[in-house]
Amino acid sequence: MRLGFYMGYAQPGTNPLALLELAREAEALGYESAWAAEAWGVDAITPLAWLGAQTTTLKLGTAIMQLPGRSPANAAMTAVTLDLLSGGRFLMGLGTSGPQVVEGWHGESWGKPVAKTREYVEIVRAIVRRERLEHHGEHYDIPLQGGTGLGKPLRLMARPLRAEIPIYIAAVGPKAVAQALEIADGWLPIFWSPEQARSVFPLEGARDAFDIAPAVPAVVTDDVESGRNALKEYYSFYIGGMGARGTNFYNDLFARYGYEAEAAKIQELFLGGDQVGAAAKVPDAFVDEVALIGSVERIRDRLAAWRESGATTLLVSTRHAATLRGVAEAAG
């Protein structure tokens, strides 16, 4: 099981330079990849370009590039450019985000995200292969029909370093996960439970060499309870506040893990303005399942379950160099 560093995105009021310093530390520790995210603040690509210029072996992944934020052609151009600049180190993580961001930030219709993702990936792959681009689907019409009539199929001017850039898809729902296993080179799951993953997700559909790379919050500490509590705000934000009542995929996944009553209560409290109360309702047992918390020895023991769960890359999510070092030691 490989190690990657999940940088995420810079929190409000912070500079992404701090994350890049941690990523350079991760490279020195033997981590294979670093992954940048985006929501509605810092984007995912700019920090990776900056990081690529300061590293030599670290693979540069997006977790994720939001589909509504870029046309498939723009995303493909960006991927090819960063792959060229980094000497073939780019990993293209894609995801739809949720309706709150798609409609509230990008101003696009939520629509049919599973079908849209399939078309998006098809177009990106065709561009990277330098095929003349012609795609007439339900979601993308290229060249546009019914416009000026001046559009014509184009071929990428740049010469990609690779004919295939690895594509990872972030997916949560059963249909989206099944499609990711079918059309992508890797999958970026969230809330990965080693004990329940095989019963909750259709992992039997994963092909040979398919990379399952869950992001895993980690805290190296001698005070397990304190480490657990430090992560509950993060989980309650996703379970309770990421999305709307009735449309929250993280809440749905939490419920599928057997926490239906807790899922409803956390969302009720969070959307009612009681974020502290929502965090307090996140069960200790859930945090222990899906995160790595404790001493190096405790994490070393816990990693055995992760290796057996089907995960092939562990994306360590932390803001602390000591935790990066501790997990590397535990995994070594």
Side-chain angles (χ1 to χ4, degrees):
M1 188 172 61
R2 296 175 292 270
L3 287 182
F5 170 41
Y6 182 81
M7 295 190 294
Y9 50 81
Q11 297 299 310
T14 67
N15 191 312
L17 287 172
L19 296 176
L20 303 188
E21 183 177 344
L22 284 172
R24 291 194 298 273
E25 172 77 5
E27 182 181 50
L29 289 166
Y31 283 68
E32 291 196 7
S33 57
W35 299 74
E38 60 187 18
W40 52 95
V42 172
D43 77 292
I45 294 297
T46 309
L48 290 180
W50 195 284
L51 179 62
Q54 302 174 36
T55 53
T56 56
T57 62
L58 203 63
K59 294 180 181 179
L60 310 169
T62 53
I64 54 161
M65 297 167 73
Q66 295 173 351
L67 266 63
R70 301 169 183 82
S71 69
N74 187 307
M77 288 162 46
T78 300
V80 166
T81 303
L82 194 47
D83 203 51
L84 282 166
L85 290 171
S86 66
R89 290 188 278 146
F90 184 60
L91 302 172
M92 189 181 197
L94 300 172
T96 58
S97 192
Q100 183 182 32
V101 174
V102 174
E103 297 184 357
W105 184 245
H106 295 294
E108 288 197 8
S109 171
W110 172 241
K112 301 176 181 178
V114 175
K116 190 171 187 176
T117 298
R118 180 179 289 271
E119 287 191 34
Y120 199 102
V121 170
E122 289 174 359
I123 295 167
V124 167
R125 289 200 190 278
I127 291 172
V128 175
R129 290 193 298 263
R130 297 198 70 245
E131 298 174 3
R132 285 201 182 276
L133 182 57
E134 187 156 8
H135 179 98
H136 303 291
E138 180 183 359
H139 301 279
Y140 297 101
D141 185 27
I142 311 168
L144 181 67
Q145 301 175 101
T148 63
L150 299 176
K152 62 179 182 180
L154 298 174
R155 178 182 287 128
L156 181 72
M157 288 194 296
R159 301 300 191 267
L161 197 62
R162 299 182 282 176
E164 296 287 341
I165 291 175
I167 292 178
Y168 289 66
I169 293 177
V172 178
K175 291 182 180 178
V177 172
Q179 177 172 271
L181 296 174
E182 175 195 351
I183 69 173
D185 303 293
W187 169 40
L188 299 166
I190 193 171
F191 297 178
W192 183 266
S193 165
E195 285 75 21
Q196 299 196 64
R198 293 186 184 277
S199 61
V200 170
F201 299 116
L203 300 188
E204 67 280 356
R207 307 180 309 279
D208 290 344
F210 187 87
D211 192 12
I212 297 176
V216 187
V219 182
V220 172
T221 177
D222 290 327
D223 186 344
V224 174
E225 182 179 2
S226 175
R228 215 185 266 130
N229 290 337
L231 294 178
K232 288 187 177 184
E233 183 178 344
Y234 159 77
Y235 288 116
S236 65
F237 171 70
Y238 275 86
I239 294 164
M242 187 63 84
R245 200 183 306 274
T247 310
N248 181 325
F249 309 115
Y250 309 103
N251 188 285
D252 293 342
L253 176 57
F254 184 55
R256 292 209 305 275
Y257 276 147
Y259 298 99
E260 285 189 44
E262 293 89 342
K265 188 63 178 177
I266 291 168
Q267 187 175 69
E268 176 189 343
L269 290 168
F270 197 99
L271 295 181
D274 185 4
Q275 282 91 7
V276 174
K281 290 295 182 182
V282 177
D284 289 352
F286 172 73
V287 181
D288 284 338
E289 274 187 71
V290 299
L292 292 170
I293 306 166
S295 65
V296 171
E297 292 73 22
R298 188 176 193 268
I299 290 174
R300 182 181 290 119
D301 291 342
R302 183 68 181 136
L303 282 175
W306 288 81
R307 291 190 177 95
E308 296 168 5
S309 71
T312 50
T313 298
L314 194 73
L315 304 185
V316 179
S317 177
T318 182
R319 293 291 190 270
H320 303 288
T323 291
L324 281 176
R325 290 192 290 269
V327 175
E329 181 183 346

